[in-house]
Amino acid sequence: MRLQIKNIRIVDPSQNKDSVEDLFIENGKIVSNLTDAANRIVDGRGKIAVPGLIDVHAHLREPGHEGKETIKTGTRAAAKGGITTVFCMPNTKPVIDNAPTVEFILLKAQKEGAINVFPIGCATKGSNGEELSEIGVLKKAGIVAISDDGLPVSNSQIMRRTLEYTKMFKLPVISHSEDKELSRNGVMNEGRNSMILGLRGIPRQAEEVMVSRDIMLAELTRGYLHIAHVSTQGSVELVRQAKKKGINVTAETCPHYFTLTDDVVKVYDANTKMNPPLREKRDVEAIKAGLADGTIDCIATDHAPHTQEEKNREFDLTPFGIIGFETMLSLILNELVASKILSLNEAIAKITVNPAKIFNLEDRGSLKTGSIADITIIDMEYSYEFTKESIISKSKNSPFIGRKFTGGAVMTIVGGNIVYER
Amino acid sequence: MSLNRKDLLGLEHLDKKDFQTVLDSVKPFKSLFTRSVKKAPTLIGKTVVTLFYEPSTRTRTSFEIAAKRLSADVVNISVSASSVVKGESLIDTGKTLEAMKADYIIIRHSMAGTPDILARNLSASIINAGDGFHEHPTQGLLDLYTMYEKKKRIEGLKILLVGDILHSRVAKSNIWALTKMGAEVAVAGPPTLIPPQIEGLGVKVHYNLDEAIKEADVVNILRIQLERQQENLFPSVHEYVELYQLTKERLAKAKSGVMVMHPGPMNRGIEISSDVADSQNAVINEQVTNGIAVRMAVLYLLKPTKVKKNASSN
Ligand SMILES: [Zn+2]
Ligand SMILES: [Zn+2]
């Protein structure tokens, strides 16, 4: 397959490039010129090519929870959102704490997936926080990071060992930062709104206490710490100070944390229930500032599908989480780029070259000659309303249903193949 | 007269005019109580369902009597807590009741927001009879009416709520109604039982009951849940009694005409001493009587309308 994309604006933060050129793709790679006539020529005028988007935090639910999502449906939803690589969290059933499960996911992804799927392995056996999992075996099977996401590693000694042991594999440890005692029974941010609504609150400190602990342990061990889904002003500040001190720490946030506050919980809509919870205006502002000054390296979806039956009930009883694949890029373009928090180049870096670097994905996150041809084509003029009917993820739990966007993915290319085209 | 709304989910969404409408409507219903025929034909042919996921004989009975005095047909449904977790979904239950042509659904639930969820999904009028730690609007209204009846005004009254503010739906409904009507509201209790953000609602916070009580025209004592001790929110019932029980001695520090209220059921000897509960200052039985009249007024003032499905009711 030889593909030529003509006259397209290429925005590639990995080489600081922003210019109108032709893009050539052959044998799944970016090349400087084709050896023969192209099989397909795409008119790129008015559109933007960026490296394929990398989402380092998602829940694909397979194996074990196929009613919510599968590798097949999840990767198609991701492709529609312009995502070419997704990391899947290990809180499946069984959890990803053994090589056969890693192999199963990789095989499934190869057979049925639309995009690249890289599994994340458990930090501890059974994700129970007590014993280290066979991290070396998991690494060999193909994991790209370690995490007990969904749960924190509550035991500080185990977390220390995890950060120490993973060093030899250069595997980042992703911290789901939550003090389970402080967050116990909580269903939303603790504050004025939780008081008025009569819902149990989760204080910011439930996150910050653990971010702070894990940064200290990263300092002690010199391990690779990556903080998942940063949601509070205090966490941003902790990461900022840690980076200043030269501690090996990176961080991600999710589109909902720079877009929404807990004001949207007011109607007890379970599509606003996630963990960590939506916070307040000052947190949203701090997260934007943290993205702008580089404290927060990546933006990830934390795509967490749940069925309508699970979400359409008493707020206390519904599970945490929202889907995110199909809205991530548009939210970044609308909330960060259009409002000039980030330049387009800076914004794209958060979902391409930065995650590729942190998680050692060679040949990805870049449009340099020789890189794998994972490409996302963006149309900044593409206006649409995000409707429930348009969602292709198996689950529909999004607080953004009904929102109007301008700008989004119109073509997604994975390994030189067009996997989504509007 | 009407409240111009389908549902009563909380007092947060009502304004001063609405509260005055309720206060003005209660009296005629209350005067009905003294007649030999205690019924009005207002709701003839209408069906009122009480849907209680949490047992509360007092509140349920009060609604039942109110509905019957308005000539409605009343159906009582109790759902046990265990069946909530596994069983039929809330919305399915609501839809079933609607299919049976329920015009009013009065719901009590241990989880906040359940009346809102029903209201969003059904066209029947939903009345919140207490949801988790959120609100108990008819209790708030009957407290408001009882103060208004006895003190002849609300504006400028100094009201002290004592006890577990954090988990109290009664406290929240009281605060919304009273502050909007121009009263000065204060709360007293241990800091572990007072949400730190409550001052943002225009409420004064006291930890010392002996100090707080001096100013009050009305003291509303909240029921203390003994399981809060297991959650380490206070160290022992003994200590709670020492610090916060409304006793004769404490009451003596208040103004002479101070009015004592309690939403019931009382833990005599814990949050309130028996002699205070039975004293001239206490209006606890009047609250119960007014509760029926207030609930009649609410049923009368709500307007069940055929709303579009999923339309927001607030
Ligand atoms: Zn997490
Ligand atoms: Zn997650």
Side-chain angles (χ1 to χ4, degrees):
Chain A
M1 175 84 175
R2 286 177 302 275
L3 189 63
Q4 182 178 7
I5 305 171
K6 285 182 108 168
N7 300 315
I8 193 152
R9 178 179 165 200
I10 300 176
V11 173
D12 180 6
S14 78
Q15 29 180 351
N16 240 321
K17 180 186 263 194
D18 188 345
S19 54
V20 177
E21 289 172 34
D22 279 13
L23 249 182
F24 301 100
I25 296 135
E26 189 167 325
N27 294 327
K29 301 240 164 155
I30 312 258
V31 292
S32 54
N33 240 315
L34 299 177
T35 56
D36 206 343
N39 302 94
R40 181 163 173 199
I41 296 174
V42 175
D43 180 9
R45 272 175 304 178
K47 302 197 175 74
I48 301 169
V50 301
L53 311 185
I54 301 169
D55 177 7
V56 300
H57 190 143
H59 300 268
L60 291 178
R61 304 297 186 208
E62 189 174 7
H65 302 287
E66 290 82 358
K68 298 174 194 262
E69 192 83 280
T70 62
I71 289 167
K72 188 173 175 178
T73 59
T75 54
R76 270 163 188 76
K80 185 185 152 208
I83 296 161
T84 58
T85 295
V86 64
F87 292 8
C88 58
M89 282 295 173
N91 58 342
T92 46
K93 207 170 160 189
V95 295
I96 312 178
D97 66 350
N98 58 86
T101 307
V102 177
E103 283 151 13
F104 167 83
I105 288 163
L106 291 173
L107 195 73
K108 262 275 167 157
Q110 201 181 43
K111 280 175 66 179
E112 298 174 0
I115 65 165
N116 308 299
V117 175
F118 294 151
I120 291 168
C122 289
T124 64
K125 286 180 190 147
S127 250
N128 60 19
E130 284 161 17
E131 279 177 87
L132 287 192
S133 61
E134 293 179 329
I135 295 168
V137 171
L138 292 169
K139 162 85 182 179
K140 217 169 164 187
I143 62 159
V144 289
I146 280 292
S147 183
D148 277 350
D149 185 58
L151 296 167
V153 178
S154 289
N155 181 319
S156 303
Q157 180 71 295
I158 303 285
M159 189 59 175
R160 175 200 171 147
R161 300 286 182 238
T162 308
L163 282 162
E164 256 169 355
Y165 190 75
T166 46
K167 271 182 2 175
M168 66 173 147
F169 308 112
K170 281 200 181 316
L171 274 177
V173 178
I174 302 175
S175 163
H176 169 108
S177 305
E178 178 184 1
D179 182 314
K180 293 292 273 184
E181 290 298 324
L182 279 175
S183 65
R184 185 150 60 167
N185 296 328
V187 295
M188 71 173 292
N189 178 55
E190 178 176 318
R192 181 184 161 92
N193 283 330
S194 67
M195 172 191 64
I196 289 173
L197 292 167
L199 293 171
R200 291 195 197 246
I202 301 174
R204 290 179 179 79
Q205 286 74 6
E207 174 174 318
E208 292 159 3
V209 162
M210 285 303 243
V211 170
S212 160
R213 182 203 73 170
D214 287 350
I215 284 171
M216 288 179 180
L217 294 176
E219 184 175 26
L220 171 70
T221 59
R222 310 193 127 268
Y224 303 92
L225 174 67
H226 179 80
I227 308 285
H229 41 55
V230 166
S231 79
T232 79
Q233 185 183 28
S235 297
V236 175
E237 189 51 31
L238 285 164
V239 173
R240 184 177 288 130
Q241 293 311 321
K243 283 188 164 180
K244 268 190 197 148
K245 282 173 80 179
I247 298 166
N248 252 328
V249 58
T250 53
E252 82 201 19
T253 191
C254 310
H256 37 279
Y257 300 122
F258 61 67
T259 308
L260 301 174
T261 67
D262 68 356
D263 282 344
V264 298
V265 186
K266 276 187 182 147
V267 289
Y268 300 93
D269 176 1
N271 288 335
T272 63
K273 181 177 171 182
M274 62 267 304
N275 187 17
L278 295 172
R279 306 288 183 182
E280 295 171 38
K281 194 158 180 265
R282 64 179 163 108
D283 302 289
V284 170
E285 295 306 319
I287 282 165
K288 286 180 177 170
L291 283 164
D293 72 7
T295 300
I296 300 175
D297 306 87
C298 316
I299 298 167
T301 59
D302 199 0
H303 180 81
H306 294 291
T307 64
Q308 258 168 298
E309 293 68 42
E310 290 170 300
K311 276 289 194 182
N312 207 9
R313 52 184 316 191
E314 295 87 336
F315 197 88
D316 281 298
L317 296 178
T318 62
F320 292 100
I322 61 166
I323 55 168
F325 289 151
E326 293 164 70
T327 47
M328 175 175 75
L329 179 60
S330 291
L331 284 165
I332 291 171
L333 296 175
N334 286 247
E335 299 292 322
L336 302 176
V337 178
S339 56
K340 303 213 172 358
I341 308 289
L342 297 178
S343 68
L344 180 62
N345 190 73
E346 289 166 332
I348 296 303
K350 306 279 181 197
I351 40 180
T352 58
V353 62
N354 294 2
K357 274 192 187 147
I358 293 164
F359 295 93
N360 310 306
L361 305 187
E362 282 161 30
D363 307 335
R364 292 192 202 272
S366 171
L367 296 178
K368 270 186 211 140
T369 302
S371 299
I372 294 167
D374 289 351
I375 304 164
T376 302
I377 311 264
I378 297 170
D379 184 348
M380 295 296 251
E381 314 281 275
Y382 168 35
S383 292
Y384 67 101
E385 185 180 332
F386 185 61
T387 60
K388 200 169 177 178
E389 294 69 37
S390 71
I391 294 173
I392 61 172
S393 180
K394 206 164 185 176
S395 294
K396 317 289 170 198
N397 50 315
S398 169
F400 297 114
I401 291 168
R403 192 176 271 243
K404 291 189 175 72
F405 293 108
T406 302
V410 291
M411 184 184 281
T412 308
I413 300 168
V414 176
N417 299 312
I418 299 169
V419 296
Y420 167 76
E421 190 173 3
R422 192 175 72 83
Chain B
M1 252 189 316
S2 116
L3 282 173
N4 284 321
R5 54 184 59 231
K6 169 173 98 69
D7 312 297
L8 182 65
L9 305 176
L11 300 187
E12 183 193 352
H13 311 290
L14 266 54
D15 60 23
K16 198 168 177 172
K17 202 176 116 272
D18 295 326
F19 291 120
Q20 198 56 53
T21 301
V22 175
L23 292 177
D24 295 343
S25 315
V26 177
K27 217 174 178 187
F29 288 115
K30 201 176 172 184
S31 68
L32 199 68
F33 295 6
T34 54
R35 298 196 205 142
S36 59
V37 177
K38 294 186 176 59
K39 277 198 170 195
T42 320
L43 296 186
I44 274 184
K46 301 281 184 194
T47 302
V48 174
V49 177
T50 66
L51 177 61
F52 275 48
Y53 286 82
E54 197 184 66
S56 170
T57 313
R58 300 168 64 100
T59 304
R60 194 191 54 67
T61 309
S62 177
F63 271 109
E64 185 176 353
I65 292 171
K68 283 184 171 162
R69 285 194 183 156
L70 293 174
S71 309
D73 298 318
V74 184
V75 181
N76 296 313
I77 299 174
S78 321
V79 191
S80 75
S82 61
S83 66
V84 175
V85 180
K86 17 191 160 130
E88 185 181 50
S89 86
L90 175 75
I91 293 167
D92 284 345
T93 303
K95 291 241 160 94
T96 306
L97 296 177
E98 193 157 68
M100 295 171 178
K101 308 288 175 232
D103 299 289
Y104 298 83
I105 298 173
I106 295 156
I107 178 172
R108 154 78 62 118
H109 202 293
S110 62
M111 291 169 204
T114 48
D116 295 60
I117 295 170
L118 278 191
R120 257 204 321 270
N121 284 279
L122 304 179
S123 56
S125 271
I126 310 299
I127 298 173
N128 180 3
D131 60 330
F133 313 142
H134 177 219
E135 284 216 44
H136 192 351
T138 54
Q139 180 73 43
L141 291 173
L142 80 86
D143 289 347
L144 182 76
Y145 181 80
T146 306
M147 292 179 212
Y148 184 70
E149 187 182 48
K150 297 272 167 189
K151 298 280 184 187
K152 310 289 176 218
R153 66 185 172 118
I154 297 296
E155 198 166 339
L157 273 187
K158 292 185 171 168
I159 292 131
L160 179 66
L161 296 159
V162 182
D164 185 355
I165 311 300
L166 184 64
H167 302 99
S168 174
R169 46 202 179 203
V170 177
K172 239 161 282 155
S173 290
N174 265 258
I175 290 167
W176 289 123
L178 293 165
T179 54
K180 285 181 190 183
M181 291 299 281
E184 287 177 37
V185 181
V187 297
T192 44
L193 293 178
I194 295 178
Q197 298 82 5
I198 197 133
E199 278 157 319
L201 301 185
V203 170
K204 228 171 141 181
V205 175
H206 296 276
Y207 302 131
N208 185 327
L209 179 55
D210 296 276
E211 286 299 315
I213 204 165
K214 289 179 193 161
E215 292 280 297
D217 298 305
V218 179
V219 185
N220 198 352
I221 305 290
L222 304 173
R223 180 181 165 84
I224 197 87
Q225 303 284 336
L226 299 176
E227 72 248 32
R228 303 294 170 223
Q229 196 203 319
Q230 266 98 63
E231 295 171 37
N232 267 301
L233 291 164
F234 56 88
S236 70
V237 172
H238 171 252
E239 182 156 314
Y240 187 86
V241 167
E242 285 279 301
L243 296 171
Y244 296 106
Q245 185 184 87
L246 188 64
T247 56
K248 265 249 136 71
E249 296 71 48
R250 285 206 164 99
L251 199 60
K253 292 175 184 164
K255 298 180 194 167
S256 62
V258 66
M259 189 166 116
V260 174
M261 303 176 79
H262 192 298
M266 285 183 282
N267 293 306
R268 281 176 185 259
I270 298 181
E271 70 266 3
I272 189 166
S273 70
S274 250
D275 49 5
V276 172
D278 300 330
S279 71
Q280 290 297 318
N281 303 77
V283 294
I284 297 161
N285 290 329
E286 279 102 317
Q287 284 176 271
V288 176
T289 307
N290 288 339
I292 296 167
V294 163
R295 288 176 177 120
M296 289 169 80
V298 166
L299 285 165
Y300 165 74
L301 290 169
L302 289 180
K303 291 287 162 266
T305 45
K306 289 287 165 218
V307 292
K308 225 169 61 205
K309 250 202 254 173
N310 294 326
S312 162
S313 54
N314 279 313

